[in-house]
């Protein structure tokens, strides 16, 4: 079917072309990430959310859609308080997931810092 | 599917012979006590509902007369392969039931020609010329699958790589299907095809297709472990026993991708695959993917035959298009008409266990009804 007009390509996700290597890394670190249902409980309870717009739901989704930069930027608003782990209905160890992802990025030395690490340094 | 023989099909000739013998025995004042004449109950539709009700009525001491328009029993379940929630063998369930109703009168390839109401019962003329008198009738005529070609934007019948849930079951059962590629790299499932769709004339949820999609996605992944499998859903409606476990397994053990967004259009690519477009509503972005096979989860709609039969029996249709029960809470298996009962998917989308439970309940209602008439 072709209706003769198409959507702006800039924001579109093309599942054939996206790079899922980071998602596969995430699955390796915390296999339970696969069972996320996108319910948003983590985001609703998030301590960082009001300050930085942090949403773990969106971080997971961004990585599933190959949007690494978006995920990293957002994750920098996490304070590792662990509230999200308490509310996740699928029992995902979200805090461990976040921490491991950050360590993974740190290992790559992308100059990434967690908010709380920044605070410690100050 | 192979044509099967009904275990014991009484032809009109058999019945006439039987009746002649009985009359003769009566005239001669036969010393052997004549067999007690069992009360007949007509069952229209030999799917899982009709078969189970037949089995129950036999054991309650009636003489069920089962009328099936196809040349085999089992209805839709006879076309399925493995059933959720425990991946039970559909064919085995049908053959067990078939054996259990050997003693019933079964007419295959037969329909109702006409029926009229008598003082305390019904006179039903069958298309094979047999006339049946009964005080109770059970409607178990089931549903029809939404004709997927009606949703033109999905390209069923136009694009070679687009099939339905029923086509996939047929292939699982060993049927040939040239549309199914030998090693697909990406496979998609479209939920709610012809369900929850006012424009397609069916606003209802078909109830069984979310879990069927997940079941079939797992089965496809088992057959083609290399393939990426996507389910495009509007909501996941997984209401039944252990259905959520299926969902978790699909995600955790099979890595099936669930994308919340209704497929808006499907187009064919140069090499014969299909490209689907949807909105990834959780991220608010348009999403597209090229697939080697697309499975449409066609929904459950009312069997159009019901309208004709309903008219003859003065039955009514409910606002959802299915046959109307006397009451949708307490009397699902009773119609508003005296002596007419309903079981299974003729009153709406049902799973097999729900259908079987209704068939039993209907048999009991019929038994109580007939007992109270005496
Ligand atoms: C793709 C798909 C997969 C499914 N998989 C499962 C599963 O895994 N597990 C599960 O629990 N449920 C499953 N279901 C649901 C299951 O198919 C239904 O619960 C079941 O078929 C309902 O049985 P029924 O006897 O009421 O109706 P049907 O199966 O529709 O049987 C009706 C029978 O009546 C006959 N008939 C119709 N009109 C007439 C007439 N005018 N005269 C005479 N005979 C007539 C038909 O030929 C048919 O034999 C699935 C459904 C779909 C669509
Ligand atoms: S651990 Fe991070 S993501 Fe989770 S609630 Fe706390 S701040 Fe939010
Ligand atoms: S709470 Fe858990 S399941 Fe819900 S979106 Fe967050 S991580 Fe996913
Ligand atoms: S069961 Fe799922 S796929 Fe079927 S109509 Fe309902 S929501 Fe749609």
């Amino acid at each position: 079917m072709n209706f003769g007009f198409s959507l702006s390509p800039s924001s579109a996700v093309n599942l054939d072309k996206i790079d899922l290597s980071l998602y596969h890394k995430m699955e390796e670190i915390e296999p339970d990430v696969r069972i996320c249902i996108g319910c948003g409980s983590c985001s609703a309870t998030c301590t960082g959310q009001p300050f930085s717009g942090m949403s773990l739901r969106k971080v997971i989704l961004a990585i599933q859609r190959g949007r690494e930069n978006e995920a990293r930027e957002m994750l920098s608003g996490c304070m590792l308080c662990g509230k999200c782990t308490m509310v996740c209905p699928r029992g995902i160890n979200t805090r461990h997931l976040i921490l491991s992802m950050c360590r993974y990025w740190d290992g790559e030395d992308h100059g990434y810092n967690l908010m709380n690490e920044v605070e410690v340094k100050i | 599917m192979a044509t099967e023989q009904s275990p014991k099909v009484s032809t009109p000739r058999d019945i006439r012979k039987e009746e002649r013998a009985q009359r003769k025995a009566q005239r001669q004042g036969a010393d052997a006590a004549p067999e007690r004449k069992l009360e007949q109950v007509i069952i229209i539709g030999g799917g899982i509902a009709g078969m189970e009700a037949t089995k129950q009525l036999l054991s309650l001491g009636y003489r069920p007369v089962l009328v099936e328009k196809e040349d085999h029993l089992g209805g839709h379940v006879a076309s399925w392969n493995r059933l959720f929630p425990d991946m039970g063998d559909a064919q085995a369930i049908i053959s067990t039931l078939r054996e259990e109703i050997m003693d019933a009168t079964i007419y295959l390839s037969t329909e109702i020609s006409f029926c009229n109401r008598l003082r305390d019962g019904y006179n039903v003329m069958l298309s094979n010329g047999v006339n049946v008198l009964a005080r109770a009738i059970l409607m178990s005529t089931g549903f029809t699958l939404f004709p997927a070609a009606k949703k033109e934007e999905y390209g069923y019948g136009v694009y070679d790589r687009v099939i339905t849930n029923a086509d996939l079951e047929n292939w699982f059962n060993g049927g040939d299907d040239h549309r199914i590629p030998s090693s697909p790299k990406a496979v998609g499932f479209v939920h709610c095809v012809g369900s929850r769709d006012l424009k397609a004339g069916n606003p209802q949820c078909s109830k069984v297709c979310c879990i069927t999609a997940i079941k079939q996605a797992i089965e496809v992944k088992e057959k083609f472990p290399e393939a990426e499998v996507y389910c495009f859903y509007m909501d996941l409606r997984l209401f039944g026993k252990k259905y959520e476990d299926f969902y978790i397994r699909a995600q955790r053990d099979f890595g099936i991708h669930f994308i919340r967004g209704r497929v808006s259009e499907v187009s064919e690519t140069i090499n014969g695959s299909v490209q689907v477009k949807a909105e990834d509503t959780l991220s608010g972005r348009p999403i597209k993917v090229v697939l080697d096979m697309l499975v449409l989860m066609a929904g459950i709609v009312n069997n159009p035959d019901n309208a004709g039969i309903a008219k003859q029996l003065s039955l009514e249709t409910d606002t959802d298009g299915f046959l109307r029960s006397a009451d949708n809470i307490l009397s699902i298996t009773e119609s508003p008409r005296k002596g007419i009962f309903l079981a299974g998917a003729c009153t709406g989308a049902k799973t097999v266990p729900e259908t079987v439970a209704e068939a039993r309940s209907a048999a009991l209602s019929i038994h109580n009804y007939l007992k109270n008439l005496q």
Side-chain angles (χ1 to χ4, degrees):
Chain A
M1 269 276 150
N2 184 0
F3 293 130
F5 42 85
S6 59
L7 297 154
S8 140
S10 57
S11 65
V13 179
N14 187 339
L15 290 175
D16 308 316
K17 303 229 169 83
I18 59 172
D19 177 8
L20 285 180
S21 50
L22 183 64
Y23 179 58
H24 295 319
K25 185 75 215 165
M26 202 168 165
E27 286 179 303
E28 211 176 280
I29 294 169
E30 190 57 68
D32 275 352
V33 70
R34 287 175 152 202
I35 61 175
C36 170
I37 47 175
C39 70
S41 299
C42 49
S43 318
T45 197
C46 180
T47 317
Q49 205 281 333
F51 308 107
S52 63
M54 165 67 197
S55 159
L56 180 59
R57 174 186 76 75
K58 287 186 185 166
V59 168
I60 293 173
L61 190 66
I63 295 175
Q64 284 172 337
R65 301 292 182 258
R67 303 179 83 92
E68 179 172 350
N69 290 342
E70 211 172 282
R72 286 178 67 153
E73 201 183 306
M74 197 176 275
L75 210 53
S76 66
C78 170
M79 303 170 186
L80 282 179
C81 69
K83 274 175 78 185
C84 48
T85 306
M86 281 174 12
V87 297
C88 176
R90 282 288 173 94
I92 304 170
N93 191 340
T94 50
R95 188 176 181 280
H96 174 250
L97 175 76
I98 296 168
L99 196 58
S100 315
M101 291 306 290
C102 294
R103 286 203 181 119
Y104 169 69
W105 277 319
D106 274 355
E108 283 186 348
D109 196 21
H110 288 301
Y112 176 84
N113 277 310
L114 272 175
M115 201 185 254
N116 62 336
E117 283 181 353
V118 177
E119 278 165 12
V120 170
K121 277 174 201 156
I122 292 166
Chain B
M1 216 198 64
T3 355
E4 47 187 308
Q5 283 298 311
S6 128
K8 183 192 150 199
V9 179
S10 308
T11 63
R13 228 176 92 217
D14 290 343
I15 292 187
R16 281 197 298 273
K17 226 165 95 187
E18 198 181 288
E19 283 170 358
R20 263 201 311 275
Q22 270 179 15
R23 277 200 301 273
K24 196 171 159 208
Q26 271 163 15
R27 267 201 314 276
Q28 294 172 342
D31 20 60
E35 237 184 85
R36 187 169 75 90
K37 188 125 172 61
L38 301 178
E39 167 139 24
Q40 299 191 124
V41 176
I42 302 171
I43 297 163
I44 310 173
I48 201 102
M51 293 176 88
E52 177 66 28
T54 300
K55 171 181 148 187
Q56 298 299 334
L57 287 167
L58 274 175
S59 75
L60 285 166
Y62 296 91
R63 180 174 170 228
V65 178
L66 179 55
V67 182
E68 167 56 53
K69 75 168 176 182
E70 299 294 331
D71 61 4
H72 61 273
L73 293 174
H76 283 94
V77 178
S79 308
W80 310 152
N81 178 237
R82 290 191 287 172
L83 302 178
F84 60 76
D86 289 332
M87 301 309 256
D89 179 350
Q91 305 305 314
I93 290 179
I94 298 297
S95 40
T96 307
L97 261 179
R98 207 190 305 127
E99 270 162 38
E100 288 169 333
I101 58 173
M102 293 271 260
D103 293 335
T105 304
I106 299 169
Y107 298 117
L108 296 180
S109 309
T110 306
E111 287 181 64
I112 308 296
S113 293
F114 66 83
C115 13
N116 39 39
R117 209 178 145 70
L118 309 173
R119 201 167 51 84
D120 65 345
Y122 295 88
N123 175 23
V124 178
M125 176 59 95
L126 306 181
S127 60
N128 60 6
V130 176
N131 209 38
V132 192
L133 291 175
R135 295 192 295 171
I137 298 180
L138 176 65
M139 289 285 290
S140 49
T141 43
F143 67 98
T144 45
L145 208 62
F146 176 82
K150 267 199 185 172
K151 297 259 5 134
E152 287 179 33
E153 62 269 41
Y154 294 157
Y156 184 71
V158 180
Y159 304 140
D160 213 31
R161 290 298 169 82
V162 182
I163 64 169
T164 63
N165 41 6
D167 295 333
L168 195 56
E169 289 296 318
N170 178 51
W171 182 71
F172 289 149
N173 269 333
D176 258 351
D177 200 323
H178 73 278
R179 296 167 299 185
I180 298 176
S182 48
S183 52
K185 286 200 274 306
V187 177
F189 287 83
V190 185
H191 291 227
C192 304
V193 175
S195 309
R196 306 179 65 198
D197 186 341
L198 267 173
K199 219 169 66 190
N202 180 27
Q204 308 305 322
C205 166
S206 293
K207 204 161 103 165
V208 301
C209 22
C210 270
I211 181 64
T212 303
I214 291 179
K215 183 203 76 138
Q216 293 186 336
I218 291 177
E219 290 174 299
V220 162
K221 191 80 184 173
E222 279 172 343
K223 291 214 192 279
F224 308 114
E226 300 303 315
E228 294 293 346
V229 179
Y230 304 92
C231 286
F232 292 90
Y233 67 95
M234 302 206 283
D235 295 295
L236 284 174
R237 299 190 162 179
L238 299 162
F239 63 98
K241 185 175 166 71
K242 299 202 282 185
Y243 292 6
E244 194 73 10
D245 296 350
F246 253 90
Y247 179 24
I248 296 175
R249 272 182 53 214
Q251 291 180 303
R252 190 189 52 211
D253 304 341
F254 294 91
I256 289 157
H257 310 286
F258 289 87
I259 298 173
R260 184 175 177 278
R262 189 164 175 276
V263 170
S264 65
E265 53 179 294
V266 178
S267 54
E268 202 165 35
T269 64
I270 280 172
N271 62 6
S273 298
V274 286
Q275 188 191 54
V276 307
K277 283 185 182 174
E279 192 199 6
D280 179 21
T281 60
L282 293 179
S283 70
R285 293 175 198 283
I287 199 165
K288 60 182 179 184
V289 62
V290 172
L291 303 168
D292 301 316
M293 177 166 97
L294 185 66
V295 187
L296 306 180
M297 304 312 294
I300 287 181
V301 293
N302 182 40
N303 172 2
D305 285 12
N306 284 340
I309 303 175
K311 207 165 151 206
Q312 297 196 39
L313 295 174
S314 315
L315 293 177
E316 292 157 39
T317 307
D318 211 336
T319 49
D320 59 0
F322 290 91
L323 288 177
R324 191 162 85 80
S325 297
D327 182 88
N328 281 327
I329 293 176
L330 290 177
S331 319
I332 287 272
T333 59
E334 277 146 57
S335 83
R337 289 272 145 193
K338 250 179 63 185
I340 303 182
F341 298 81
L342 313 165
C346 61
T347 58
K350 306 267 156 72
T351 63
V352 171
E354 288 169 340
T355 301
V356 168
E358 275 191 10
R360 288 181 189 159
S361 150
L364 191 60
S365 300
I366 290 172
H367 176 61
N368 288 332
Y369 171 77
L370 293 174
K371 212 173 59 186
N372 290 335
L373 282 184
Q374 277 149 17

